[in-house]
Amino acid sequence: MPSTPSPLTALTPLLQEVIAQSLAFKDSEDVFARRATPHALRDLLLEDLPEQPATAQAIWEDISKRLLPYCVNMNSPRFMGFGDTGADPASLVAGIFAVLAQQNLINQSFCSPSGTMAEIAVIRWLRELIGYPTVPACEVTSVWEAGGITTYGGTGSNTTAMMLAREHTVPGTLSDGVRDPERFGLVVPRGVGHYSVKSAAAWTGCGTYLIEVDTDHFRYDLTALAQAVKENAGRLMAVVAYAGDSRTQTIDHLRAVHDTVRTADPTVWLHADACWGLMAALTPRRRHLLDGIEAFDSVTVDPHKVLNVPYATSALLVRDPAVLRMVSSYSDLIMQEDYAFGQVTPQLGTKEWTSLRAWAALRSQGRQGLTRMMDERLDRTEAFATLVDAHPQLMRLHDPDLCAVAFCYLPPGTHPGTATDTQVERLNAVNRAIHRRLMDEGRWHLHQFTLPDDHGHIRRGAVLAPLRFMSINPRITTTHMRDVLDYVTRLGQEASR
């Protein structure tokens, strides 16, 4: 008699259906199939736990009917506000396998024998890309030689960096606790920093003793930076610089920041948030912008932002691999071995094999493919910036370093460069109205946030509410760019009446 397939093997046809429908979803040009208010979705999905069991087929049918139509498709060429497509083919294959393989990277010998080594390989590749040295592979005898950790996002990586900065500033704080919060000041650029750094300082018990330094063209004013470091001598935990800030993706002058800080204070921890800036390492056209990053004590990078891999893979890289011992933990329950990442990954117990997605993307692209991918992004950035510059009712607000272009619609009567308070308020109101329409309709997506006018295009020092385009998605064509700008213009004209 033929053998009865196991329950898991019997899932094969259903999984094929799931994969086919999910790929069709990602291949669609629609940002959303349907739009609904939060309360409508609440009423649709918040329900009592069912009494009766259901089959996997029934669950998938429910997902297809009630969840999938309302999901955002970040791989749509009309979704231009972020770059997190999650559509790298090799990463998708690896991600599916990693879910099924169920490896736990807290431990190597019996929880993740090969997965641990693949994760170390990813960390080493990322270190090489930003210019950190790596020891020969034959000398990697434990996680302590890896030189970094992976986390589930830039916030987690930045939080670990702030833990390292805290321990570097006052050794033993991990065990003794914070006794003088004012000892842990944190220098950040005013108006362009990411929320995770401030939150990380609070989460690690250091409070929010932020020292915000003025910027010039979205980079540190170096004179003001030197003054801030000197004035707060003995009360600083870290200085944070952005290799691609979260608004305009401007890369700071990293070598100058390093030299300025080290001259004023040779010991303060230097951290670079390169969650976006990792892109610059992929191409000779931008690699020079990262000069000096290899001298920083720690660097955060986000492969899921840069490599089109599915959520969520981030990494914290450290110049000196030994510093991770400052925040290590140990238990003979499961981490009693040299290659256990559980020793060096704060806040995580079970550790999903998310790094395999980055491993697959890096392996499949190779250095040549990564360069080609990034150069194509830069070409799209330049094409979009050119279209904005040629439009009489649009204003570009910065010179793009990477893939972001922040711009705004100019209502009639706006005087660029010398706009009055009233004109700035009206400009922001109109651009916010444009963004609300985009969000409500769901046909196009551009991001919005507040941004200091560091270039003085509207009025230097004014806080603006621009729209942001991002060129990472390879499906975006020049036609898409023209169409979204035409649509923004129409919405702006309607909102200005």
Side-chain angles (χ1 to χ4, degrees):
M1 296 180 62
S3 60
T4 302
S6 73
L8 291 180
T9 302
L11 280 176
T12 300
L14 177 57
L15 288 175
Q16 291 173 336
E17 177 186 339
V18 171
I19 290 171
Q21 194 165 340
S22 299
L23 291 177
F25 161 76
K26 292 185 79 69
D27 268 340
S28 171
E29 287 225 350
D30 293 334
V31 178
F32 295 98
R34 297 179 201 161
R35 290 296 276 153
T37 66
H39 285 173
L41 291 172
R42 176 200 64 192
D43 295 342
L44 175 67
L45 296 169
L46 301 193
E47 58 191 3
D48 293 337
L49 178 66
E51 291 290 338
Q52 300 299 320
T55 65
Q57 178 72 49
I59 295 302
W60 171 242
E61 290 173 359
D62 195 23
I63 291 172
S64 300
K65 180 180 179 181
R66 294 200 298 158
L67 295 176
L68 180 57
Y70 301 100
C71 287
V72 61
N73 178 16
M74 293 190 182
N75 193 47
S76 164
R78 296 187 183 129
F79 188 88
M80 302 173 173
F82 293 91
D84 311 354
T85 67
D88 176 78
S91 292
L92 290 170
V93 172
I96 292 170
F97 167 73
V99 168
L100 296 174
Q102 187 75 351
Q103 306 295 286
N104 182 358
L105 275 77
I106 190 175
N107 165 280
Q108 187 265 334
S109 63
F110 59 88
C111 287
S112 183
S114 59
T116 296
M117 298 305 164
E119 179 148 315
I120 292 174
V122 169
I123 293 169
R124 287 166 58 84
W125 293 339
L126 294 173
R127 288 178 63 86
E128 290 171 2
L129 284 172
I130 69 163
Y132 275 164
T134 58
V135 300
C138 62
E139 295 181 15
V140 178
T141 59
S142 70
V143 291
W144 305 111
E145 286 87 37
I149 60 171
T150 67
T151 72
Y152 299 135
T155 296
S157 296
N158 282 336
T159 298
T160 303
M162 292 304 99
M163 291 180 67
L164 289 170
R166 183 194 66 190
E167 295 306 304
H168 173 77
T169 303
V170 181
T173 302
L174 186 69
S175 57
D176 299 339
V178 173
R179 299 182 179 179
D180 180 10
E182 294 187 13
R183 179 67 181 81
F184 299 98
L186 185 59
V187 174
V188 296
R190 190 186 309 279
V192 298
H194 191 267
Y195 66 85
S196 63
V197 173
K198 178 180 178 181
S199 297
W203 292 333
T204 55
C206 298
T208 53
Y209 292 89
L210 285 187
I211 299 150
E212 294 187 299
V213 175
D214 289 340
T215 59
D216 181 22
H217 291 56
F218 306 113
R219 299 178 178 92
Y220 274 121
D221 178 321
L222 295 175
T223 300
L225 175 61
Q227 182 177 349
V229 175
K230 290 177 182 177
E231 289 179 350
N232 292 277
R235 294 185 291 130
L236 288 184
M237 173 174 71
V239 174
V240 178
Y242 287 89
D245 70 77
S246 295
R247 290 167 169 79
T248 67
Q249 293 185 350
T250 299
I251 297 177
D252 214 319
H253 295 138
L254 301 173
R255 176 69 65 187
V257 170
H258 170 272
D259 293 349
T260 299
V261 172
R262 285 287 176 255
T263 298
D265 186 338
T267 62
V268 68
W269 189 270
L270 269 170
H271 175 65
D273 183 327
C275 289
W276 289 114
L278 175 62
M279 286 189 285
L282 307 182
T283 172
R285 286 168 62 178
R286 292 293 186 272
R287 183 65 183 84
H288 63 281
L289 296 178
L290 293 182
D291 176 55
I293 199 170
E294 72 282 357
F296 278 60
D297 295 298
S298 55
V299 179
T300 293
V301 295
D302 269 9
H304 68 236
K305 284 185 171 70
V306 172
L307 301 177
N308 291 330
V309 305
Y311 287 139
T313 304
S314 177
L316 175 69
L317 311 175
V318 291
R319 182 172 52 84
D320 177 6
V323 300
L324 287 171
R325 292 186 182 275
M326 295 192 298
V327 295
S328 64
S329 60
Y330 176 81
S331 168
D332 64 2
L333 181 65
I334 196 170
M335 296 185 293
Q336 68 280 23
E337 60 182 35
D338 292 334
Y339 287 110
F341 266 112
Q343 299 175 83
V344 294
T345 311
Q347 304 160 359
L348 292 181
T350 301
K351 193 170 188 298
E352 185 184 356
W353 195 8
T354 60
S355 62
L356 185 63
R357 302 160 193 172
W359 181 88
L362 291 165
R363 284 272 284 117
S364 66
Q365 293 281 358
R367 290 184 181 272
Q368 292 181 3
L370 293 171
T371 298
R372 181 171 56 252
M373 176 180 69
M374 188 58 201
D375 285 346
E376 290 172 354
R377 292 173 179 176
L378 293 175
D379 291 343
R380 287 191 291 272
T381 303
E382 292 169 4
F384 189 82
T386 298
L387 290 173
V388 171
D389 292 346
H391 199 297
Q393 292 177 280
L394 302 175
M395 175 65 71
R396 179 165 54 89
L397 299 176
H398 65 107
D399 299 321
D401 279 347
L402 297 171
C403 296
V405 180
F407 68 101
C408 58
Y409 175 82
L410 298 176
T414 304
H415 300 297
T418 59
T420 65
D421 287 347
T422 299
Q423 290 170 2
V424 170
E425 290 173 6
R426 185 163 183 257
L427 180 146
N428 285 340
V430 168
N431 281 273
R432 287 190 174 107
I434 293 171
H435 190 254
R436 281 195 301 272
R437 284 282 299 276
L438 292 174
M439 293 293 292
D440 290 344
E441 295 171 5
R443 186 164 177 265
W444 298 94
H445 182 80
L446 297 167
H447 194 33
Q448 189 170 64
F449 39 73
T450 57
L451 184 72
D453 188 4
D454 249 18
H455 287 253
H457 289 301
I458 304 300
R459 192 189 70 218
R460 189 169 183 85
V463 177
L464 307 177
L467 302 166
R468 185 186 70 188
F469 164 88
M470 200 171 287
S471 68
I472 290 179
N473 191 337
R475 300 179 69 196
I476 297 173
T477 66
T478 304
T479 299
H480 290 117
M481 298 179 199
R482 289 196 181 100
D483 287 350
V484 73
L485 291 179
D486 288 345
Y487 193 57
V488 164
T489 301
R490 181 166 70 80
L491 294 181
Q493 290 169 344
E494 292 175 5
S496 298
R497 291 172 187 162

